[in-house]
Amino acid sequence: MAPVVKFAAAAALLSPLLAGCVIYDSTGGDEVSVRVGSQTTTAQAAPLETLRAIRFDAGAVVVRVESNGCTQVSDFAVEVVDDQTAELTFTRESPDLCKALVPDGVELRWTYEELGLASGKAALVRNPLRLP
């Protein structure tokens, strides 16, 4: 049998083994498992950013987070689930790779308008808080 024909036959026989479908249910939690043949890979979602402090001040949400000197508002995404009680989740999208000593961290500020929140709305923050 010619090498090209052998390769085509092998590819035809192996292709069903290499094909796959992944279905991800986001309501199941933060752990995702993928099984390919006898191999299973498990991935964990990144942990939520631990906040050093949070306060609601003059129409804004102010959080204090760890910093190595370069942390800024643009490094974070804020997920807002607006229900009867708004749920806020702060996620660091860009690591702070600077090497400054910032023992008290930095304060970051988002206005209610930026977050789409009405003044006086009840809010729940999903991030863990670090005790002083």
Side-chain angles (χ1 to χ4, degrees), residues 9-21 36:
L13 290 173
L14 292 175
S15 65
L17 299 175
L18 300 175
C21 177
V36 178

Side-chain angles (χ1 to χ4, degrees), residues 30-52:
D30 292 337
E31 186 174 292
V32 178
S33 294
V34 178
R35 178 176 285 272
V36 178
S38 63
Q39 301 291 328
T40 300
T41 302
T42 301
Q44 292 271 351
L48 294 176
E49 181 78 13
T50 299
L51 307 178
R52 296 182 76 171

Side-chain angles (χ1 to χ4, degrees), residues 2-3 6-7 10 13 25 37 41 45-46 56-57 63 75 86 92-94 108 118 122 127:
K6 286 182 184 179
F7 177 75
L13 290 173
D25 179 9
T41 302
F56 297 87
D57 181 42
V63 298
D75 295 336
R92 187 184 295 259
E93 293 188 324
S94 299
L108 305 174
N127 296 67

Side-chain angles (χ1 to χ4, degrees), residues 65-71 92 95-102 105-106:
V65 295
E66 299 291 335
S67 176
N68 291 330
C70 297
T71 300
R92 187 184 295 259
D96 183 343
L97 301 176
C98 292
K99 298 191 186 304
L101 295 175
V102 187
V106 296

Side-chain angles (χ1 to χ4, degrees), residues 7 18 21 44 64 74 78 82 89-90 104-105 112 128 132:
F7 177 75
L18 300 175
C21 177
Q44 292 271 351
R64 183 173 291 279
S74 62
V78 183
D82 196 5
T89 306
F90 298 87
D104 294 330
Y112 294 166

